[in-house]
Amino acid sequence: MKINKLPDVFQQAMPVLKKLEDAGFEAYFVGGSVRDILLHRHIHDVDIASSAYPEEVKNLFEKSIDTGIQHGTVTVLFDGNSYEITTFRTESGYQDYRRPDHVTFVQNLDEDLKRRDFTINALAMDTQGNIIDLFNGLDDLDKKIIRAVGDPEKRFHEDALRMMRAVRLMSQLNFNLEENTNQAVADHHQLLKKISVERIREEFVKMGLGKNARQAFKIFLETKLSEDVPDFEGKKKLLSVFPKLKFSPTEETSLWAIVIILLKLPNEKIHRFMRDWKNSNSMTDEVERIVNFFDTLSGHTPTDYELFQVGKKTLLNTIDVANILGQPVDSEALVDRYVALPIKEDSELAIDGKDLIDYGIKPGPKLGSLLNEIKQNVIERKLPNNENSIKDFLEKKTEL
Ligand code: ATP
Ligand code: MG
């Protein structure tokens, strides 16, 4: 098979491959980017594989970065773009079902393609646009199938993360898992316990945000991969709602909030859960706000003060979560009410703490609660947001 009209990113990268070839090396486009041209997906970066050793690559290009030089990867900067060039390699010495401890450079492309995880990811393309397909990846692309290269059991024992990569690719590409590959995941899901949470997390998030997340999540549960990730053990029943959601989440905050809501985690366990999954503090804080406001929305129509407190971003995120979960909310009315709030930030209040001190109120907790009372009255439209009205309000209060 030959591709005649290559997308721009490949055209731009072509001189890099040609430069390697002119110096007597082999060079190909490999991996996900070749798969993505054939699927007409957006291509974010192209990976290049070459027979040149890292040092040889570095000598050939003016600017380069040692991205992962011990694994054979050098990033070269060319014409304002950066490209990862990886020396043909095999991987050996897999320990603990994790990444290999060392790689062996090899002189031909075939060996390099053999180490790749799935047939659709083991395609290469030369400078003429010819596709090299050693494992019938093109056929699997047509059939929309994720199939391990070689014996799936062996491949998952080498690197158990591949099982998570399988379900995330299913989700992103809207593909099915080939039967033997699926069986091998179901038989060996426990191997995932050996993989770091950070790596699992990355694949889990990509799975959860892919266009076919619901179907992929189903396989994630059915194969019991879900039993070997943080805090999901024994929760299959609760999580089985995910495949039945109205649609798949597109925001990471929504994904985590939905999972937490389905797991029925009490408020005090949210932080622990998010930490177990190695989420950042800012992600954790936002997800906690969303889950709490979702609770508010499920209980009653929020007051203006509650809308003010939650803020626009969290309001929109929570509406997104409610929609995905099929929880009825009048999103338009909520947003309209938010937009119409007299103030949206503390700083928009006509007075501040310093003004109160000028009016003779002593600094301390009382001042804080007085300021809050003013704010609440302004938001509930009981007090106009201007200095005179607020002054009158304070005078009346101190007269009492
Ligand atoms: P994405 O679009 O998310 O970048 P990708 O397929 O390019 O998808 P990468 O993680 O960028 O995924 O990996 C690039 C290529 O490296 C893959 O297409 C595959 O050929 C190979 N690869 C990545 N991870 C593994 C692994 N764990 N085992 C074997 N091969 C792998
Ligand atoms: Mg990639």
Side-chain angles (χ1 to χ4, degrees), residues 96-142:
D96 290 346
Y97 316 104
R98 288 195 300 245
R99 279 179 200 187
D101 347 292
H102 53 270
V103 302
T104 312
F105 297 138
V106 290
Q107 278 309 302
N108 72 67
L109 174 71
D110 294 14
E111 288 294 312
D112 183 90
L113 295 179
K114 245 188 245 171
R115 71 161 170 97
R116 294 177 183 270
D117 48 5
F118 302 108
T119 60
I120 58 166
N121 284 349
L123 297 166
M125 185 173 70
D126 67 15
T127 46
Q128 308 305 308
N130 295 305
I131 302 285
I132 295 111
D133 175 21
L134 302 181
F135 310 102
N136 286 326
L138 289 174
D139 210 27
D140 288 339
L141 269 185
D142 265 353

Side-chain angles (χ1 to χ4, degrees), residues 88-305:
F88 294 156
R89 61 179 209 211
T90 56
E91 298 173 346
S92 52
Y94 290 94
Q95 271 189 6
D96 290 346
Y97 316 104
R98 288 195 300 245
R99 279 179 200 187
D101 347 292
H102 53 270
V103 302
T104 312
F105 297 138
V106 290
Q107 278 309 302
N108 72 67
L109 174 71
D110 294 14
E111 288 294 312
D112 183 90
L113 295 179
K114 245 188 245 171
R115 71 161 170 97
R116 294 177 183 270
D117 48 5
F118 302 108
T119 60
I120 58 166
N121 284 349
L123 297 166
M125 185 173 70
D126 67 15
T127 46
Q128 308 305 308
N130 295 305
I131 302 285
I132 295 111
D133 175 21
L134 302 181
F135 310 102
N136 286 326
L138 289 174
D139 210 27
D140 288 339
L141 269 185
D142 265 353
K143 293 192 200 138
K144 296 178 165 265
I145 283 176
I146 314 277
R147 181 200 307 268
V149 169
D151 175 4
E153 296 202 7
K154 198 168 142 239
R155 304 311 309 283
F156 296 153
H157 276 82
E158 286 170 1
D159 181 357
L161 186 76
R162 291 173 183 153
M163 300 188 288
M164 279 305 294
R165 286 178 56 86
V167 286
R168 84 98 149 150
L169 285 163
M170 275 188 75
S171 172
Q172 291 182 317
L173 306 178
N174 197 7
F175 274 34
N176 288 309
L177 208 51
E178 180 272 329
E179 213 180 302
N180 292 325
T181 308
N182 187 96
Q183 190 58 48
V185 178
D187 289 343
H188 301 291
H189 62 87
Q190 299 94 331
L191 297 175
L192 199 58
K193 284 208 166 70
K194 313 275 182 186
I195 301 293
S196 76
V197 173
E198 287 85 349
R199 294 180 76 207
I200 295 177
R201 182 186 181 290
E202 195 180 329
E203 301 299 332
F204 176 77
V205 170
K206 286 181 177 171
M207 174 185 80
L209 301 181
K211 66 177 172 202
N212 200 19
R214 290 168 299 174
Q215 177 61 15
F217 210 100
K218 199 166 163 217
I219 303 297
F220 171 70
L221 294 171
E222 277 174 13
T223 54
K224 301 213 171 96
L225 277 172
S226 56
E227 297 295 310
D228 303 298
V229 302
D231 303 319
F232 283 10
E233 197 184 339
K235 302 285 196 260
K236 190 171 167 182
K237 195 137 185 247
L238 293 172
L239 293 168
S240 67
V241 176
F242 196 103
K244 298 178 210 143
L245 293 173
K246 290 252 172 209
F247 45 93
S248 302
T250 54
E251 296 297 326
E252 191 176 338
T253 45
S254 300
L255 171 66
W256 291 114
I258 286 165
V259 166
I260 287 169
I261 292 166
L262 296 183
L263 289 172
K264 301 189 195 304
L265 284 189
N267 205 26
E268 67 275 12
K269 294 211 170 143
I270 295 177
H271 266 260
R272 177 64 194 273
F273 172 88
M274 291 296 280
R275 195 156 13 101
D276 290 348
W277 273 97
K278 311 276 182 200
N279 279 300
S280 68
N281 289 339
S282 63
M283 176 72 67
T284 301
D285 292 345
E286 177 59 6
V287 167
E288 189 179 19
R289 284 191 293 265
I290 295 171
V291 174
N292 282 329
F293 195 61
F294 179 79
D295 244 17
T296 305
L297 279 183
S298 314
H300 62 266
T301 307
T303 62
D304 281 347
Y305 191 59

